[in-house]
Amino acid sequence: MRYSGPVFDNHFHLREDGLFREAARAFKAAGGTALNIVNLPDPSVGLDRYYERVYERTLRIADAIREDVGLQVMVTLGPYPLDLLMFSGAGRDPEMEVMRGAELAIKLYSEGLCSCIGEVGLPHFRVSDEHMDLSWKLLGQILSMAADEGAPVMLHTMDLGADGYRRIEGLTVSAGMDRRRVVKHHALPQDLLLGTEIRISLLATRPNIRHWISVRKPAFLETDYVDDPSKPGKVIPPDSVPKRVRMAEQECEDCEELLHSAFHDLPAEVYSVDFS
Ligand SMILES: [Zn+2]
């Protein structure tokens, strides 16, 4: 099989002081064509006008990748699920600050500067009950703001089993949000068989791709590349998605449609972006 359509990484972070353009160039050199650049939390910018600074920088990074590397780029902006710990640790009102970040992300979405709200959701490790309850409450509010604006949402959460997905789906439905425009980033391969309406985004590891090919369920692929030189090997390399496409070409006779759905149809349905 030979695949010749777009190759899209659904969750990719870049830093101006990381590999930055070089990481995007490695993705392109391996055959990648489009990236979803998600903002990275960075307390070093200071907590005043925190989201203005973090989002502005992400938009600047996206422009640099479009212009200097020549990739198609969509942007995802939103308050990271652990931001509330950062604000409450600094003696600030976490609810007010996080909602400010959500409102700004929605505003930038309405101006066409980003295509998705995220990554938002729940801490992926144990936090106090108080913080977990607040996370659920804020997620519900963010989902209903996104629903009002018609914006898709990228979720960051702990691993979800069937019950976890059901609870998220319940929250999504009561927020008036279309479940099919909500994406679970860093989902597990077994999530493909849970029958959830929430969209699955899989880490592009070899075992995950082999599982995906065997079950043939729609999913995004991602690296969750974090571009942090101080943590080498923390995540899979930036060129992993195009490399897995080459692997699928070797190992699968008839995977064109599956790949095309991951890189073209799903981005169009969920984010209203057209990668070709
Ligand atoms: Zn991320």
Side-chain angles (χ1 to χ4, degrees), residues 128-183:
S128 68
D129 288 352
E130 185 198 339
H131 280 134
M132 195 48 104
D133 292 347
L134 179 57
S135 299
W136 278 99
K137 178 183 161 192
L138 293 174
L139 177 57
Q141 290 178 12
I142 293 169
L143 285 166
S144 72
M145 288 162 69
D148 290 346
E149 193 57 48
V153 170
M154 168 87 75
L155 293 177
H156 167 117
T157 69
M158 67 297 268
D159 291 344
L160 299 172
D163 289 347
Y165 277 101
R166 255 194 299 279
R167 188 166 174 197
I168 297 269
E169 289 200 352
L171 191 70
T172 303
V173 170
S174 43
M177 176 88 198
D178 180 356
R179 285 169 290 183
R180 298 172 62 80
R181 297 193 72 208
V182 176
V183 181

Side-chain angles (χ1 to χ4, degrees), residues 11 13 38-39 80 119 156 185 224 226:
H11 199 104
H13 300 284
V38 184
N39 65 264
Y80 188 64
E119 50 193 302
H156 167 117
H185 132 70
D224 195 16
V226 293

Side-chain angles (χ1 to χ4, degrees), residues 27-172:
F27 171 76
K28 189 181 180 186
T33 66
L35 291 175
N36 182 10
I37 294 189
V38 184
N39 65 264
L40 260 181
D42 182 4
S44 78
V45 302
L47 297 189
D48 293 321
R49 298 177 51 82
Y50 174 76
Y51 290 106
E52 281 85 346
R53 290 173 207 268
V54 169
Y55 296 168
E56 227 171 79
R57 184 165 63 188
T58 307
L59 292 169
R60 192 165 67 225
I61 286 172
D63 280 339
I65 299 307
R66 286 186 192 104
E67 285 161 25
D68 303 343
V69 184
L71 288 169
Q72 290 186 285
V73 175
M74 63 165 277
V75 174
T76 295
L77 299 176
Y80 188 64
L82 303 179
D83 288 357
L84 65 113
L85 301 176
M86 172 179 82
F87 289 118
S88 67
R92 299 191 177 222
D93 177 349
E95 182 166 354
M96 201 183 79
E97 299 284 354
V98 167
M99 288 317 290
R100 202 176 272 168
E103 278 158 20
L104 179 58
I106 294 279
K107 177 173 173 279
L108 295 170
Y109 177 86
S110 73
E111 293 169 359
L113 290 168
C114 65
S115 303
C116 182
I117 305 303
E119 50 193 302
V120 298
L122 308 165
H124 54 276
F125 54 83
R126 265 194 97 78
V127 296
S128 68
D129 288 352
E130 185 198 339
H131 280 134
M132 195 48 104
D133 292 347
L134 179 57
S135 299
W136 278 99
K137 178 183 161 192
L138 293 174
L139 177 57
Q141 290 178 12
I142 293 169
L143 285 166
S144 72
M145 288 162 69
D148 290 346
E149 193 57 48
V153 170
M154 168 87 75
L155 293 177
H156 167 117
T157 69
M158 67 297 268
D159 291 344
L160 299 172
D163 289 347
Y165 277 101
R166 255 194 299 279
R167 188 166 174 197
I168 297 269
E169 289 200 352
L171 191 70
T172 303

